Amino acid sequence: MKLLSINKTLARSTLVGLALPLLGMPLWNILSSAYLKPVLERNTLSLLGSLITAGMALAIIAIVVWGEKKPLSSMGLHRQTPRSIIIALLASIIISVGGTLISLALIKVSGLAMPTLLTEKIKDFPIWLAIWIVLSSSIAEEILYRGFLIERLGQLTGNIWTGGLITLIWFTAMHLPLGVVYCLTLVLPTSALITALYIWRRDLIATIITHLVMNAPIALAAILFALAR
């Protein structure tokens, strides 16, 4: 009876869409870590992972448009106005600064060592690869997790904040390969702020802009390291 109730609430195509971020991404993490990491060069594996993530995001858009037959506004993609863009830019600055301060405070209070930042992990990438990973991940992750997952889990649970909480926990868990301390002190607080921004505005462009602003220093660092070499 419960399964029938879920099927009435969510179309079959929606369930397929939910499987991509909820099951597809963890399966990729397991596969890449256990089988591909030992045999593929790091740059190749990183590029492959970014292409798979981008492919899943495109699949989500296709599911919404052709499977669910819903407008893209159902996943937070709206036509932008000067006011909405200004709000998005201001929010991105506030969240970037606020998230960084919260992360530093958590590290100091907990007494934990500063985790290895992505700038250190990406500094040896070619410039084009570093920029591609930053751009593609910022856009694809927002489509997969903020725009689609929050909205559909909110529909399933009947509460958008519940959908946001589940998504926040899952999104943070997806970054565990980067380290537990990194997830708890950096990913969790900034993701919580971006999640709150999405639920407040229901505007995916705003969260994409915020994600890009927060990841921009990573690409910049890769460029500077490349120039220094």
Side-chain angles (χ1 to χ4, degrees), residues 9-212:
T9 305
L10 299 177
R12 185 175 300 175
S13 56
T14 306
L15 297 176
V16 173
L18 288 172
L20 291 177
L22 291 176
L23 300 177
M25 290 305 297
L27 284 175
W28 163 249
N29 287 338
I30 294 171
L31 175 65
S32 61
S33 178
Y35 300 104
L36 299 181
K37 190 174 182 179
V39 298
L40 289 181
E41 191 263 339
R42 189 178 70 131
N43 289 1
T44 302
L45 183 60
S46 297
L47 176 59
L48 181 59
S50 68
L51 290 173
I52 288 174
T53 305
M56 288 186 181
L58 290 174
I60 286 292
I61 293 175
I63 286 170
V64 171
V65 174
W66 291 296
E68 297 180 327
K69 300 189 185 316
K70 291 182 178 180
L72 291 177
S73 58
S74 69
M75 54 179 287
L77 280 172
H78 305 279
R79 182 176 296 176
Q80 296 297 294
T81 65
R83 180 175 181 273
S84 66
I85 293 175
I86 290 172
I87 291 175
L89 290 172
L90 289 175
S92 68
I93 295 171
I94 293 171
I95 289 176
S96 297
V97 174
T100 300
L101 293 176
I102 292 172
S103 297
L104 291 174
L106 288 173
I107 292 170
K108 183 174 181 179
V109 169
S110 65
L112 297 170
M114 176 69 75
T116 302
L117 302 177
L118 286 181
T119 49
E120 288 295 314
K121 296 177 181 292
I122 208 172
K123 67 179 182 180
D124 295 325
F125 284 2
I127 293 177
W128 68 268
L129 180 57
I131 294 175
W132 160 252
I133 289 176
V134 167
L135 288 175
S136 63
S137 64
S138 298
I139 297 172
E141 287 180 354
E142 291 306 311
I143 291 173
L144 285 165
Y145 291 97
R146 238 74 65 174
F148 187 81
L149 198 55
I150 287 179
E151 290 289 354
R152 299 310 182 264
L153 288 178
Q155 178 186 345
L156 178 61
T157 61
N159 188 300
I160 191 68
W161 285 101
T162 302
L165 179 60
I166 295 172
T167 301
L168 173 62
I169 294 171
W170 198 254
F171 182 78
T172 303
M174 289 301 95
H175 288 78
L176 281 175
L178 298 175
V180 175
V181 175
Y182 185 91
C183 285
L184 294 180
T185 60
L186 294 174
V187 177
L188 181 59
T190 54
S191 296
L193 293 174
I194 296 177
T195 297
L197 171 63
Y198 179 81
I199 294 176
W200 170 45
R201 298 291 300 170
R202 306 294 275 273
D203 184 353
L204 190 61
I205 299 299
T207 63
I208 288 175
I209 290 174
T210 302
H211 205 142
L212 284 169

